[in-house]
Amino acid sequence: GDSVTQTEGQVTVSESKSLIINCTYSTTSIAYPNLFWYVRYPGEGLQLLLKVITAGQKGSSRGFEATYNKETTSFHLQKASVQESDSAVYYCALGASGGSNAKLTFGKGTKLSVKS
Amino acid sequence: GGIITQTPKFLIGQEGQKLTLKCQQNFNHDTMYWYRQDSGKGLRLIYYSITENDLQKGDLSEGYDASREKKSSFSLTVTSAQKNEMAVFLCASSMRGGYAEQFFGPGTRLTVL
């Protein structure tokens, strides 16, 4: 089956400091998965932060970056300088590449708290 | 843009009761999904529907039925509510295909008494 493992629980970072949330994946059903980071801000619905569909490529959005590393099966989320407004729950996910099947497998989520 | 509406926002039922959750989207997306999220856990796929007349089981389909009434709506029925399935149920939709971004609704929180 497919699985996603990410930094568990809560991560607290001081404003303007750097952040990394680890994500590794395992798949037996998808040769070249697509990789996603979703985010849920307080009081809002789950929304896409960034996605990468090609191994070796980097995705970026809102100052966050993630690189699809097929060798280490990782897709870590990084930001050089976090802000209080980045406080949210972040989910790593993998999905099928192309075809009609677009279902996603999610990690358990990482709650980021940014303190001023 | 578009929006996904889930009703009701909060659903309270008795153990053993049959309960229905509804989802509507106006993105004109082909594919719709139902996920369950338990506290402190990731989302788990219950059912999805690739197109209007399609229904596919996810990893967590036992104890649930689903119905794709039309392209814009997708319902989920809890066939016999149990206390251990109190969770938030999320509906999502996407264009057809593996590259497609999924858009999520605000969720329905289920409580079983």
Side-chain angles (χ1 to χ4, degrees):
Chain A
D2 303 331
S3 67
V4 174
T5 302
Q6 63 180 100
T7 302
E8 284 206 14
Q10 181 164 319
V11 172
T12 302
V13 180
S14 297
E15 201 166 23
S16 79
K17 298 297 185 186
S18 64
L19 166 75
I20 182 164
I21 298 176
N22 291 325
C23 172
T24 57
Y25 67 89
S26 171
T27 176
T28 57
S29 62
I30 308 164
Y32 298 99
N34 300 325
L35 298 175
F36 305 80
W37 277 101
Y38 279 80
V39 59
R40 179 185 285 133
Y41 296 103
E44 297 185 19
L46 197 61
Q47 57 187 278
L48 180 68
L49 178 61
L50 57 88
K51 72 176 181 185
V52 179
I53 63 174
T54 305
Q57 297 294 309
K58 179 167 68 178
S60 60
S61 174
R62 306 180 202 178
F64 288 90
E65 294 181 340
T67 300
Y68 183 161
N69 189 321
K70 196 172 192 307
E71 286 68 39
T72 59
T73 62
S74 66
F75 191 54
H76 307 318
L77 184 68
Q78 301 184 74
K79 189 171 186 181
S81 175
V82 298
Q83 302 166 3
E84 231 176 314
S85 56
D86 295 325
S87 296
V89 182
Y90 294 82
Y91 296 89
C92 184
L94 74 84
S97 176
S100 61
N101 184 354
K103 62 177 184 173
L104 296 177
T105 299
F106 284 84
K108 293 183 179 181
T110 304
K111 184 175 182 179
L112 171 64
S113 292
V114 179
K115 58 181 185 181
S116 56
Chain B
I3 192 167
I4 296 181
T5 305
Q6 290 188 238
T7 55
K9 191 172 180 179
F10 299 96
L11 181 57
I12 301 173
Q14 300 290 328
E15 201 164 21
Q17 190 176 358
K18 184 175 177 180
L19 302 167
T20 298
L21 294 71
K22 293 188 180 294
C23 176
Q24 296 263 0
Q25 54 96 0
N26 64 0
F27 288 98
N28 199 34
H29 284 160
D30 287 312
T31 306
M32 296 185 74
Y33 313 79
W34 276 107
Y35 291 91
R36 171 177 150 178
Q37 185 170 29
D38 295 84
S39 180
K41 295 187 179 179
L43 283 68
R44 289 183 288 173
L45 185 64
I46 305 171
Y47 268 98
Y48 62 108
S49 168
I50 296 173
T51 61
E52 192 170 337
N53 296 312
D54 176 76
L55 204 58
Q56 306 278 344
K57 292 183 178 181
D59 300 322
L60 205 64
S61 62
E62 191 169 333
Y64 301 95
D65 286 327
S67 172
R68 185 81 182 269
E69 298 88 2
K70 50 187 177 181
K71 188 175 184 179
S72 62
S73 65
F74 193 31
S75 297
L76 180 72
T77 297
V78 182
T79 56
S80 176
Q82 303 298 315
K83 290 192 176 180
N84 63 2
E85 63 189 334
M86 292 198 291
V88 175
F89 292 79
L90 295 174
C91 176
S93 72
S94 73
M95 293 170 61
R96 198 187 311 194
Y99 309 111
E101 174 184 354
Q102 291 187 20
F103 292 83
F104 285 83
T108 293
R109 182 174 292 276
L110 173 64
T111 301
V112 182
L113 302 176

